[in-house]
Amino acid sequence: MNEIMDDQQIIELFWKRDEAAISGSHAKYGIPLKRISFRILSSHEDSEECLNDTYMKAWTSIPPQRPGCLFAYLGRIIRNLSLNRWQKNRAEKRGGPANCLLLSELSECIPSPRTVEHETDETFLTETLVSWLRGLPAGSRVLFLRRYWYGDSLSELAEACGIPAGRLAGRMFRLRKSLKIFLEKEGITL
């Protein structure tokens, strides 16, 4: 039976351009990464493609990147790929590939919604959210991230924490309310 490598061993394999980095990443994180993708896409096939694309993106970005936490790094990649796939799937359902082609043709004529102001607002929102998360007790921070980043269901979280689902739902409501108040104090209107 193969021993599971630790993150630093896997990262070193990426740096050495050793393909064992992919199999090591998959052995350690394949199931939770696919779970993140599946919760967004609800499709095993699309999730599997996003998982493979995640390993490819990690292969091309490590080096020069040297992630501090490999799971968080891979998790961010698969989440972004899955969200992009979800948006693409929705766009195709609305107008099909022809609609996507038409929009891409018009992209040279229509200004991008991504302005410097938008980027600055997004950065400020991210920094504010990180600040709020750091101010939470560790248990609350983990619950919030598992629910809203990794997409765990309330029943899964309740079971993992040994808390009745109704009580956990109330706790999550209070966390969201706390976040809303924090954002408003920082001048972010919803």
Side-chain angles (χ1 to χ4, degrees), residues 22-189:
I22 303 295
S23 58
S25 297
H26 186 70
K28 188 167 185 180
Y29 297 123
I31 292 171
L33 289 171
K34 189 170 179 188
R35 187 180 307 129
I36 291 169
S37 183
F38 184 78
R39 286 192 173 130
I40 294 169
L41 297 168
S42 300
S43 163
H44 289 289
E45 296 80 18
D46 285 349
S47 297
E48 191 65 37
E49 282 186 39
C50 284
L51 183 61
N52 291 330
D53 291 347
T54 297
Y55 297 139
M56 180 58 70
K57 192 153 182 79
W59 182 260
T60 61
S61 64
I62 305 172
Q65 299 289 324
R66 186 176 285 273
C69 176
L70 185 60
F71 180 64
Y73 187 80
L74 297 173
R76 187 182 77 224
I77 292 171
I78 199 162
R79 188 171 188 277
N80 290 339
L81 289 170
S82 299
L83 289 170
N84 290 342
R85 172 70 58 100
W86 181 82
Q87 289 176 333
K88 179 182 177 225
N89 290 348
R90 269 190 58 209
E92 287 178 358
K93 285 180 185 174
R94 280 196 311 263
N99 200 17
C100 292
L101 176 63
L102 292 174
L103 290 175
S104 70
E105 289 174 0
L106 286 175
S107 67
E108 295 174 11
C109 307
I110 300 172
S112 170
R114 308 287 298 176
T115 63
V116 172
E117 182 179 272
H118 179 82
E119 297 286 334
T120 303
D121 290 346
E122 194 172 89
T123 300
F124 179 67
L125 177 60
T126 301
E127 290 169 356
T128 304
L129 181 58
V130 167
S131 176
W132 176 77
L133 283 168
R134 285 189 177 138
L136 290 176
S140 294
R141 183 172 46 245
V142 168
L143 281 175
F144 189 86
L145 290 173
R146 283 188 63 181
R147 176 73 176 131
Y148 298 110
W149 178 261
Y150 297 110
D152 289 359
S153 70
L154 283 176
S155 60
E156 289 171 321
L157 286 173
E159 185 178 323
C161 297
I163 300 172
R167 203 165 110 210
L168 182 62
R171 188 170 174 187
M172 299 308 294
F173 173 79
R174 288 187 297 279
L175 279 171
R176 289 189 309 272
K177 187 176 179 181
S178 166
L179 174 58
K180 182 179 180 184
I181 290 168
F182 188 85
L183 291 174
E184 288 171 349
K185 284 181 182 175
E186 294 296 318
I188 298 171
T189 55

Side-chain angles (χ1 to χ4, degrees), residues 5 8-22 24 59:
M5 291 183 269
Q8 291 310 309
Q9 290 172 313
I10 296 170
I11 291 168
E12 284 307 315
L13 290 173
F14 274 111
W15 273 79
K16 293 177 183 175
R17 309 313 289 157
D18 186 332
E19 291 180 12
I22 303 295
W59 182 260

